[in-house]
C-alpha cells in the first residue's frame, strides 16, 4: 500500500470515528429517552452531554473533546494497522493541539464573530490540509525514518 493511501486511510479513520460519535450522540439524546441515571452518566461520559436548546460553552467543549477522542482512537488504530507502529504521545500532541483550536474557535462562535456552519466547514478543510500536508504519517514515526534514509542516500 502506498504511503499516501495509508495517510488518507488514517485520516478517514479519524473522520469516521468522530462522525460516528457525533451521530450516536444525537441519536441517543434526540431519539431515546434515558430513564436510568446510570445510563445517563454512561452516555454522557462516552458520547457527551445533551445540548438541546443550547448549553454553556464548557459543555460544548467537553462534547467536542469526547467526539475527538473517539476520532483519535480510530485514527490511531488505522495508523497502527497501516504503518505497523504508532506513537501515542504524538497522537496525543495532535489531539491537544486540535482541542486548543476548537476551544478558541468555539469562543469566536460564542461571541458571534464566526458562524457555526462556517466553523464546521473550516474544520473539515483544515483537517484535510493539515493532515495531508503537515502531519502526514508523523504519529507513525515513519516520516523521521524516511528523512534519515533520504539524507543517508543523498
Amino acid at each position: 500500500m502506498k504511503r499516501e493511501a495509508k495517510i488518507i486511510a488514517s485520516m478517514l479513520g479519524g473522520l469516521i470515528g468522530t462522525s460516528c460519535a457525533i451521530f450516536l450522540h444525537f441519536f441517543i439524546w434526540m431519539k431515546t429517552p434515558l430513564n436510568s441515571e446510570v445510563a445517563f452518566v454512561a452516555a454522557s461520559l462516552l458520547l457527551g452531554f445533551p445540548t438541546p436548546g443550547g448549553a454553556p460553552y464548557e459543555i460544548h467543549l467537553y462534547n467536542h473533546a469526547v467526539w475527538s477522542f473517539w476520532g483519535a482512537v480510530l485514527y490511531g488504530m488505522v495508523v497502527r494497522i497501516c504503518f505497523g507502529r504508532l506513537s501515542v504521545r504524538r497522537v496525543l500532541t495532535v489531539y491537544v493541539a486540535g482541542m486548543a483550536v476548537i476551544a478558541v474557535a468555539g469562543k469566536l462562535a460564542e461571541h458571534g464573530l464566526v458562524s457555526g456552519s462556517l466553523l464546521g466547514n473550516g474544520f473539515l478543510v483544515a483537517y484535510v490540509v493539515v493532515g495531508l500536508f503537515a502531519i502526514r504519517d508523523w504519529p507513525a514515526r515513519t516520516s523521521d525514518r524516511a528523512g534519515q534514509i533520504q539524507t543517508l542516500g543523498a
Side-chain angles (χ1 to χ4, degrees):
M1 185 183 228
K2 291 188 104 176
R3 187 169 153 200
E4 286 76 19
K6 292 177 183 179
I7 292 168
I8 291 171
S10 302
M11 291 179 55
L12 282 173
L15 188 61
I16 289 169
T18 304
S19 299
C20 286
I22 292 170
F23 173 77
L24 287 172
H25 173 267
F26 287 110
F27 179 76
I28 285 174
W29 293 124
M30 303 303 168
K31 299 289 182 191
T32 309
L34 298 175
N35 297 328
S36 164
E37 188 171 326
V38 173
F40 176 84
V41 170
S44 297
L45 291 175
L46 293 174
L47 297 171
F49 289 104
T51 58
Y57 167 77
E58 292 79 12
I59 298 295
H60 288 288
L61 188 60
Y62 171 80
N63 286 348
H64 282 81
V66 170
W67 302 334
S68 298
F69 168 79
W70 291 114
V73 166
L74 198 56
Y75 171 81
M77 289 172 54
V78 175
V79 167
R80 177 83 166 110
I81 291 167
C82 288
F83 292 101
R85 52 190 305 180
L86 174 70
S87 171
V88 175
R89 184 177 298 158
R90 290 181 179 192
V91 172
L92 184 62
T93 301
V94 173
Y95 174 80
V96 169
M99 284 309 303
V101 171
I102 289 172
V104 170
K107 276 295 184 186
L108 292 175
E110 182 182 44
H111 293 296
L113 298 173
V114 65
S115 72
S117 61
L118 178 66
L119 198 59
N121 292 335
F123 276 126
L124 284 175
V125 169
Y127 182 76
V128 170
V129 170
V130 171
L132 286 177
F133 301 112
I135 295 177
R136 300 190 49 84
D137 55 350
W138 181 67
R141 299 182 300 207
T142 56
S143 57
D144 295 342
R145 205 172 34 188
Q148 291 170 356
I149 292 170
Q150 286 177 343
T151 304
L152 293 175

